[in-house]
Amino acid sequence: MHILVTNDDGVQAPGLLALAQAVRDLGTVTVFAPDRNWSASGHVKTMDRPLRARQVTLSDGSPALTTDGAPSDSVALALLGVVKEKIDLVLSGINPHENIGHDVTYSGTVTAAMEAVIGGVPGIAVSLNSPEEHLDPLDYSTAARVARRVAQKALAGGLPEGVLLNVNVPYLKDDEIKGYAVTRQGLRLYRDELDARKDPRGKPYYWIGGDFPTGVIEEGTDFGALKAGYVSITPLQLDLTAREAMERLRKWEW
Amino acid sequence: MHILVTNDDGVQAPGLLALAQAVRDLGTVTVFAPDRNWSASGHVKTMDRPLRARQVTLSDGSPALTTDGAPSDSVALALLGVVKEKIDLVLSGINPHENIGHDVTYSGTVTAAMEAVIGGVPGIAVSLNSPEEHLDPLDYSTAARVARRVAQKALAGGLPEGVLLNVNVPYLKDDEIKGYAVTRQGLRLYRDELDARKDPRGKPYYWIGGDFPTGVIEEGTDFGALKAGYVSITPLQLDLTAREAMERLRKWEW
C-alpha cells in the first residue's frame, strides 16, 4: 500500500507529521505538501505558472516533498507522476480546526481529497475540532489514531467510487470519544464582518473579520456528531446537482 | 433591483462588460470584480491579509469596483458592506469557457455564485462554451441575452433557498439555440499530463499540461445539453453529502 499524505497548512505543520507517523505501518508513506499555509484557498488547479517540487526534511528526520502550489496541486502533481509509484490512498490533514458544513468547498484540506477522487484515488480529509483558544501545542494524538483507523477501513472496505470522506475528530482523549458517526454535511453559520481600516497614507483597506463561525447543532450532521463527542465521518461527492430544485426550474417558462 | 456583477477573469474582461451591459435595464448594476485573472482558483476566503477595493472605469466609460482578492472575496466584501446598498442578485461571468462537470469546485465563476448563496443572496454563474480555438474577440452577445433572461426569471420566480444556477451557453447565434434545458452536473474527463522541464540552471519544474478536458456526452447533463445546442441550466447546492454512500459506510464496523 502506498499512501500520500498532504495538508493545507504547509509541510512543516505538526498535524501533517502526526498523520504521517500514524499511518507509516500501513504501507509506504510519501509526504507531499505545500510550502506555505493555504487555508480557505479552495480547489485550485495551477495552470498559469509552472510549479516547483523539492525535497525537505520533517522535524522527525523523515524525508518529504514540498511544492509552491496549492494542496490540490500537490495531489495532482503526485498523481500525474512527480511521485513515481502508484498511489492507493490520499490522506489530507490533520487540520487544526474542523471542516464542517459549508467549509468543505473553501477548505484546502478537503479539496486535496477531492483532487484525489478526481484522479481516481480514494481521498480522506481529517480535521480536529480544537477549541478556539488553546495553549499550544495542540494534541493531535487522538485524531492521528482515528485517521489511521479510518484509513485502514477505507483500504480494506474500499470507498464508493467518486466519494471522499470528510473526517472531523472531537478534541478529546481516546477513551472520551463516544464512537464513530456517519453524518451528513450540516449547516455552517458564518459570522464574518467587515473590518474597514485606513492605511498610514489614509487609504482604505478591508479585513474579512468577525467571530469564529458556529453551526446548526442537529442530530445526524457533522456538527451534531462533534458536539456529542463522536468522530464525524461525512461521505462527500463532487456532483453538486440540486436534484430537488430541477422540477421547480423546469416549471419556469423557458 | 440591485444586481452585483463579478467574474474570475478580471474586471476588464470583455465577458464581464457584456454581462453588465445586458442587465443594466433590470435595475441598478454594481460591478465588483478581481483586478486579475483567477481562473481555476477555487472557493477562496482571504483571511490572512487585508483586501483593497478601488474604483476603476470599464471600457464603455462606466464605473466599477475592483479588488486584489478572489472572485468569492469580491462577493463577500460587497455583501459585508463595501457596497452600501442591499444586493438582490449576484451574476458571475461571462466566463469564456464552459464550467461543467467537476469544473464547478475549481471555477472562480461558479464559486463566486456559491459565495452569494452562502451570503443569502441568489447567485447565477454564466459561462460560454466557446470553441477551443477561435479568432479573437469572442462574441458574448448571445450569452449576454441568455444571462439577462435567466436573471429576469430568477428575480421573478425566486431561486430555491441554498441553490445557485450554473448556466452554460453554446457558442451559437440567438436563432440557432435550440432552447433551455434544466440539467444535472455531468462527468468531466480531464486529460492533464505532467510536463516536466528544466530551468536554465538545470533544476526541475512542472507544468500541469495536457489536452483541453472533454466530458461524457449524456442526455440530461450539462455536457449533453451543450452538445445538442441547448442552454444548460444546472441548479447546484452546497450540500455535498453522498447520501447513497452513507448506508454502506454505516455497515463498516466502527
Side-chain angles (χ1 to χ4, degrees):
Chain A
M1 286 295 169
H2 185 192
I3 301 171
L4 182 78
V5 176
T6 190
N7 76 348
D8 79 344
D9 295 300
V11 72
Q12 295 296 354
L16 177 85
L17 185 63
L19 180 57
Q21 288 178 336
V23 296
R24 275 207 188 120
D25 67 330
L26 299 182
T28 308
V29 171
T30 299
V31 174
F32 190 4
D35 59 12
R36 66 167 178 91
N37 189 313
W38 283 79
S39 295
S41 290
H43 196 190
V44 176
K45 186 180 286 187
T46 300
M47 294 182 295
D48 62 342
R49 64 179 175 91
L51 296 167
R52 294 284 189 172
R54 63 188 172 83
Q55 283 245 341
V56 289
T57 302
L58 301 186
S59 61
D60 69 348
S62 62
L65 286 163
T66 188
T67 175
D68 55 347
S72 41
D73 289 323
S74 305
V75 175
L77 287 177
L79 297 183
L80 289 174
V82 171
V83 174
K84 302 287 178 223
E85 301 78 20
K86 181 178 167 292
I87 292 164
D88 301 297
L89 176 66
V90 173
L91 294 178
S92 176
I94 299 170
N95 200 63
H97 301 291
E98 73 277 15
N99 278 303
I100 58 179
H102 292 152
D103 295 345
V104 297
T105 55
Y106 295 109
S107 163
T109 310
V110 177
T111 51
M114 285 183 189
E115 190 67 24
V117 168
I118 287 174
V121 173
I124 301 174
V126 185
S127 307
L128 181 60
N129 182 207
S130 64
E132 277 178 57
E133 294 179 25
H134 61 85
L135 299 172
D136 272 330
L138 278 175
D139 180 357
Y140 287 100
S141 60
T142 299
R145 278 187 286 269
V146 165
R148 183 180 183 282
R149 183 135 190 241
V150 177
Q152 271 186 308
K153 292 275 177 199
L155 287 169
L159 286 178
E161 204 183 321
V163 169
L164 58 135
L165 297 186
N166 183 31
V167 178
N168 285 277
V169 185
Y171 197 61
L172 298 170
K173 293 192 196 314
D174 272 19
D175 57 5
E176 295 169 337
I177 297 245
K178 292 271 176 59
Y180 290 72
V182 177
T183 57
R184 67 179 193 277
Q185 185 185 321
L187 203 61
R188 254 299 191 206
L189 297 174
Y190 294 105
R191 298 184 291 176
D192 298 336
E193 284 180 20
L194 191 69
D195 184 344
R197 303 185 182 190
K198 292 251 158 61
D199 73 15
R201 283 150 294 280
K203 290 194 175 163
Y205 67 95
Y206 304 94
W207 286 97
I208 296 179
D211 291 325
F212 204 79
T214 62
V216 179
I217 302 172
E218 203 181 343
E219 217 185 296
T221 66
D222 42 16
F223 206 82
L226 286 178
K227 280 285 168 190
Y230 286 81
V231 172
S232 167
I233 301 190
T234 315
L236 298 182
Q237 62 189 14
L238 294 165
D239 181 353
L240 276 63
T241 310
R243 285 184 160 68
E244 288 169 17
M246 292 176 79
E247 271 318 300
R248 178 162 159 196
L249 289 175
R250 286 203 177 108
K251 283 181 192 143
W252 292 7
E253 273 181 33
W254 294 107
Chain B
M1 285 298 169
H2 185 193
I3 302 171
L4 182 80
V5 176
T6 191
N7 76 347
D8 78 343
D9 295 301
V11 71
Q12 296 295 355
L16 177 84
L17 185 62
L19 180 57
Q21 289 177 336
V23 296
R24 276 207 186 120
D25 67 330
L26 299 182
T28 308
V29 171
T30 299
V31 174
F32 191 2
D35 59 12
R36 65 168 179 91
N37 188 314
W38 282 78
S39 296
S41 289
H43 195 189
V44 176
K45 185 181 290 188
T46 299
M47 294 183 294
D48 62 342
R49 65 179 174 93
L51 297 166
R52 294 283 189 174
R54 62 187 173 86
Q55 283 246 341
V56 289
T57 303
L58 301 187
S59 62
D60 70 348
S62 62
L65 285 163
T66 188
T67 175
D68 55 347
S72 41
D73 288 324
S74 306
V75 175
L77 287 177
L79 298 183
L80 290 174
V82 169
V83 175
K84 303 287 179 224
E85 301 78 20
K86 182 179 166 292
I87 292 163
D88 301 298
L89 177 66
V90 173
L91 294 178
S92 176
I94 300 168
N95 200 63
H97 301 291
E98 73 278 13
N99 278 303
I100 59 179
H102 292 153
D103 295 344
V104 298
T105 55
Y106 295 109
S107 162
T109 310
V110 177
T111 52
M114 285 184 188
E115 189 66 25
V117 168
I118 287 174
V121 173
I124 301 174
V126 185
S127 307
L128 182 60
N129 183 208
S130 64
E132 277 177 57
E133 294 180 25
H134 61 87
L135 300 173
D136 272 329
L138 279 176
D139 180 358
Y140 286 100
S141 60
T142 298
R145 278 186 287 268
V146 165
R148 184 180 181 284
R149 184 139 187 238
V150 177
Q152 271 187 307
K153 292 276 178 199
L155 287 169
L159 286 178
E161 205 184 316
V163 169
L164 58 135
L165 297 186
N166 183 30
V167 179
N168 285 278
V169 184
Y171 198 60
L172 298 170
K173 292 193 199 311
D174 272 20
D175 57 4
E176 294 169 339
I177 297 245
K178 292 273 177 57
Y180 290 73
V182 177
T183 57
R184 66 178 195 278
Q185 185 185 321
L187 203 62
R188 255 297 190 207
L189 296 175
Y190 295 105
R191 297 186 290 176
D192 298 336
E193 284 181 19
L194 192 68
D195 183 345
R197 302 184 183 192
K198 292 253 157 65
D199 73 15
R201 281 149 295 281
K203 290 193 174 165
Y205 66 96
Y206 305 94
W207 286 97
I208 296 179
D211 291 326
F212 203 79
T214 62
V216 179
I217 303 172
E218 203 181 343
E219 217 185 296
T221 66
D222 42 17
F223 206 83
L226 286 178
K227 280 285 168 189
Y230 286 81
V231 173
S232 167
I233 301 190
T234 315
L236 298 181
Q237 63 188 14
L238 293 165
D239 180 353
L240 276 63
T241 310
R243 285 185 160 67
E244 287 169 18
M246 291 175 78
E247 270 320 299
R248 178 162 160 196
L249 288 175
R250 287 203 176 107
K251 283 179 192 144
W252 291 7
E253 274 181 34
W254 294 107

